[in-house]
Amino acid sequence: LNLGYKDILGITLALASALFLAGLIVLYRLLQNEGLSVVTINFWRHFLNTLILLPIAFFVDLSPYASYKNLFVLLIFGILFAIIASGLHNFSFGRTRAIRVALIGKVEPIIASIYAFLYLKETPHLTAVTG
């Protein structure tokens, strides 16, 4: 196994992401047990994310990408993926055990590989399929 700096960094960030996602799943369950709805939890989650990340926009040169067409595409992506997809995923936490939702959520890489094959004509490498 020949791992370079980028491999180790990628694995470390993926593990950190997994830890934070697991914490998010537990937090959703705890907040739902306290009587908060998924809509309320998602509203505050996205609102706070926006407040935290908005200052970064002032330090990034967005001029090559800043157009009404790109803004429209980002708006559609935000609605589809940030609101609908994560909303459905988080809504399911209140309907079944969190462990089942987490396990079913791990089908995402398989679906992403199928999408990449169908829409981008990318064939996954054998190591990606094995993983």
Side-chain angles (χ1 to χ4, degrees), residues 52-108:
I52 291 168
L53 295 174
L54 193 59
I56 295 171
F58 296 110
F59 299 106
V60 176
D61 181 22
L62 299 174
S63 58
Y65 312 107
S67 73
Y68 288 112
K69 179 182 173 187
N70 291 343
L71 185 61
F72 180 72
V73 170
L74 286 175
L75 181 65
I76 297 297
F77 272 22
I79 291 170
L80 282 176
F81 302 115
I83 295 173
I84 295 174
S86 72
L88 286 172
H89 187 77
N90 297 328
F91 181 75
S92 64
F93 291 144
R95 304 295 179 255
T96 189
R97 294 177 54 203
I99 190 73
R100 290 184 181 149
V101 176
L103 289 173
I104 292 169
K106 296 308 165 197
V107 175
E108 180 183 333

Side-chain angles (χ1 to χ4, degrees), residues 110-124:
I110 297 168
I111 295 171
S113 295
I114 293 170
Y115 280 171
F117 179 74
L118 293 175
Y119 298 113
L120 303 174
K121 307 297 184 227
E122 291 182 6
T123 304

Side-chain angles (χ1 to χ4, degrees), residues 17-54:
S17 172
L19 288 172
F20 280 111
L21 183 58
L24 183 66
I25 290 171
V26 171
L27 183 62
Y28 263 89
R29 177 52 63 103
L30 291 174
L31 291 174
Q32 284 180 336
N33 288 344
E34 293 296 319
L36 289 173
S37 72
V38 173
V39 173
T40 303
I41 297 168
N42 278 340
F43 170 78
W44 285 108
R45 173 184 168 199
H46 294 299
F47 179 75
L48 292 173
N49 285 344
T50 302
L51 283 180
I52 291 168
L53 295 174
L54 193 59

